[in-house]
Amino acid sequence: MKSPHWKRLVWFYVCAALSGPAWSEDGVTITGYAPATGVEHGYSVQKATESDMSFWFDKPGASVTARGAFHPRMTVLSRDENGMRARWSLNAALPEDTAGPADSYQMNLLYQNSLAAYGTSTLDLETDLNGFPSNLFGVDRILAHMREMAANGPGGAAAPAENGVPGNAANGIIGKIEQNPLLIVTALAPEAQLLATGQFYQDQVMQIGQAAAASRTEDYGGVDVPVTSTWTLESTDAAARMATLSLSEDVDPAAFSQSQEPAIAKMMAAFPERVKNLTADQMASIQRAGKTRNAKFVVSLDDGSAVEATEIVSVTTGGFTLSTYTHILRDDMPARLPLPAVLTAKVLQTPDLHVEPLPSEKAGPGILDELSTPPSPPASQETAVATGNDGAEAIAPVSLEVKSAEVGRSPVSYDRGLNIVLTPESTAKFRDFTQAALGRQTQLLVNDKVVMEPWMREPIMDGRIVLAGTDGEDLEAMAEQLRAPGASIVVRLRP
């Protein structure tokens, strides 16, 4: 886990580059961030993600889009020479003037569940002088809420943590937050981080059209990946007292590809027949990974606040491309930046998530990457057994034979769990089912009772299933049932 202080280091290098001798005294002064305290500002936020699996699936539906529209509010409560305290007020309600049908904004449904899961709609942050979060108040309360929900589940019974994600995954998220509480900010208020990127802690002199580059190293799975950032002052509006700046970031392709080797190997293992037929050039292309980030900021020359921002981040790994789009506009300012078409489209091909709202109490912990990572697209027609009238593929349920079922420590959490190992034949059946069901919500039944409703984020190749979030007696009883001769588990798509 990277230290949250790396952001401060980034800004030291950027500001050093911008204030160096390359900038003449007759340039434009970008005012250091000095917001008024006690003034609340609302923001219109639009987000979208596009996932493209067309390399693997030659069919409609290989590329899907999820989007959301939000209206958070922020107040700088106090400020001194060391930093600031800011409060973000959050909600998942869809703004009234949002274009397009409400049911196409599925990120809002996921975000509603996340707010319920974390048990808060307000974040009080300590920030550095450019507004980047450095500390979060009330972490213990949030963690206590998450632990209670992970232990009890909705209604007091063991249940999926969020939309089918089991309790062991919830405890994994809790562990990550304990190591780095700022992950809560990344999950619930990423706008705070993006706006801070476009704000300087002190005055900077820049010249229009002249670029300033800075370098840093980021950790990706234990691999140090060099990143180059380039800042440019695009234009100024003297009458409105605004400046427009752009930021482009490129990661070193060789180092980033090395960091993504495990993910690339998983992707290739999920499509063994397709891999066999790849040309040398195609094989080389899926073994390369890349990441780019492009952002623009409209910054006030009066107080240095970023009043509008757009950001596009694109990551390609193993033939899969994920692009995320964000636009933030402060309510009292006119829009100046052009928007990507995905944020303004009236009709989009969106995934059918079937998101069930979580109650505000007794809700399982939210999953940190739900806001930024869309579900995988539907699987290829080769693995489907039928096609419904609505074009969505129907996948036949499969009955799986159990080789062993033992209660013990979950391999992915510290909780007790039921560790199930399938027979070799059922392992192959389960692998095929999970490949076909990528991006779909499924159900796992024991004795005709639904015990899990997981989303299939990746194929399960090893024939192992872990059930957690249930008390020890229930786990032992279920294990005893699965040890009986001929015991089986049924896995199906969620109706």
Side-chain angles (χ1 to χ4, degrees):
M1 184 68 64
K2 295 190 294 291
S3 165
H5 300 296
W6 73 268
K7 280 285 186 178
R8 294 184 177 181
L9 295 175
V10 171
W11 273 101
F12 171 78
Y13 293 132
V14 170
C15 292
L18 295 180
S19 58
W23 302 100
S24 66
E25 292 298 325
D26 59 352
V28 177
T29 298
I30 308 300
T31 308
Y33 184 47
T37 58
V39 179
E40 184 179 67
H41 290 292
Y43 295 86
S44 297
V45 179
Q46 295 172 277
K47 300 180 182 181
T49 59
E50 288 181 325
S51 58
D52 186 357
M53 291 275 286
S54 56
F55 181 91
W56 298 104
F57 299 127
D58 184 18
K59 48 167 281 186
S63 179
V64 295
T65 302
R67 65 178 174 181
F70 309 92
H71 192 259
R73 304 186 310 278
M74 187 274 288
T75 305
V76 176
L77 302 176
S78 62
R79 179 176 182 269
D80 58 29
E81 67 276 8
N82 298 315
M84 308 178 199
R85 179 163 178 166
R87 174 172 296 158
W88 282 82
S89 300
L90 314 168
N91 72 82
L94 193 66
E96 293 182 359
D97 57 349
T98 303
D103 59 4
S104 71
Y105 290 86
Q106 294 158 323
M107 281 186 175
N108 289 72
L109 301 176
L110 293 170
Y111 189 55
Q112 176 183 331
N113 282 356
S114 291
L115 291 176
Y118 287 98
T120 187
S121 60
T122 301
L123 294 182
D124 277 13
L125 310 175
E126 187 177 80
T127 80
D128 57 21
L129 289 174
N130 65 300
F132 194 87
S134 58
N135 189 29
L136 173 63
F137 298 94
V139 174
D140 290 344
R141 175 181 55 80
I142 293 174
L143 284 171
H145 177 87
M146 296 177 71
R147 292 189 190 100
E148 179 185 357
M149 299 307 106
N152 297 328
E162 178 175 325
N163 293 314
V165 180
N168 57 347
N171 283 286
I173 299 301
I174 291 171
K176 291 180 180 179
I177 291 174
E178 288 173 335
Q179 296 177 35
N180 182 5
L182 290 179
L183 289 176
I184 297 173
V185 183
T186 302
L188 299 184
E191 297 81 12
Q193 298 167 326
L194 178 55
L195 290 174
T197 303
Q199 296 166 168
F200 299 89
Y201 75 89
Q202 62 183 14
D203 291 355
Q204 303 297 321
V205 178
M206 305 177 68
Q207 293 210 17
I208 294 176
Q210 196 165 0
S215 299
R216 67 179 186 273
T217 299
E218 291 187 7
D219 175 80
Y220 286 87
V223 178
D224 289 337
V225 178
V227 180
T228 300
S229 301
T230 303
W231 283 88
T232 305
L233 174 60
E234 300 284 346
S235 62
T236 61
D237 185 332
R241 297 283 298 161
M242 295 290 169
T244 300
L245 294 85
S246 65
L247 166 67
S248 63
E249 290 189 343
D250 292 284
V251 301
D252 181 82
F256 189 69
S257 295
Q258 180 186 353
S259 74
Q260 299 302 301
E261 286 176 357
I264 294 171
K266 275 190 175 182
M267 188 67 73
M268 294 175 64
F271 302 95
E273 295 303 317
R274 170 80 166 129
V275 169
K276 291 178 183 177
N277 297 319
L278 295 179
T279 66
D281 287 343
Q282 289 174 323
M283 180 65 74
S285 72
I286 65 170
Q287 292 176 332
R288 292 191 297 266
K291 179 180 179 181
T292 60
R293 179 191 185 198
N294 292 282
K296 286 184 180 292
F297 302 91
V298 176
V299 179
S300 167
L301 295 179
D302 291 324
D303 67 2
S305 298
V307 299
E308 185 178 9
T310 60
E311 180 187 55
I312 302 174
V313 180
S314 183
V315 179
T316 300
T317 301
F320 170 73
T321 299
L322 172 66
S323 298
T324 64
Y325 306 84
T326 304
H327 176 246
I328 306 173
L329 177 64
R330 207 169 78 180
D331 287 349
D332 60 338
M333 293 292 170
R336 296 169 177 268
L337 300 177
L339 298 186
V342 67
L343 295 179
T344 58
K346 293 184 178 180
V347 179
L348 292 174
Q349 181 175 358
T350 57
D352 187 9
L353 297 183
H354 296 295
V355 180
E356 295 292 339
L358 293 176
S360 59
E361 297 181 356
K362 299 298 181 184
I367 300 307
L368 293 177
D369 61 355
E370 285 286 12
L371 300 182
S372 59
T373 305
S376 303
S380 67
Q381 293 176 344
E382 297 174 358
T383 55
V385 297
T387 301
N389 293 332
D390 60 356
E393 295 166 357
I395 303 172
V398 292
S399 179
L400 308 172
E401 294 184 4
V402 176
K403 179 180 179 181
S404 65
E406 302 293 337
V407 176
R409 291 293 180 186
S410 165
V412 292
S413 75
Y414 294 104
D415 286 348
R416 285 165 59 81
L418 176 55
N419 302 307
I420 302 169
V421 179
L422 303 176
T423 63
E425 182 181 30
S426 290
T427 293
K429 291 168 62 177
F430 191 44
R431 178 199 63 212
D432 293 343
F433 176 88
T434 58
Q435 287 183 198
L438 285 175
R440 313 281 286 276
Q441 190 174 11
T442 64
Q443 292 182 330
L444 188 149
L445 294 81
V446 176
N447 290 338
D448 297 324
K449 179 182 178 181
V450 176
V451 296
M452 286 178 64
E453 291 189 317
W455 287 91
M456 284 301 156
R457 303 301 189 194
E458 61 183 12
I460 299 176
M461 315 298 289
D462 60 3
R464 296 179 181 273
I465 302 171
V466 179
L467 303 182
T470 302
D471 65 41
E473 291 184 3
D474 288 344
L475 290 174
E476 292 288 359
M478 197 179 303
E480 191 67 27
Q481 294 170 354
L482 293 176
R483 294 190 196 109
S488 65
I489 295 173
V490 173
V491 182
R492 68 187 184 191
L493 291 181
R494 184 182 184 276

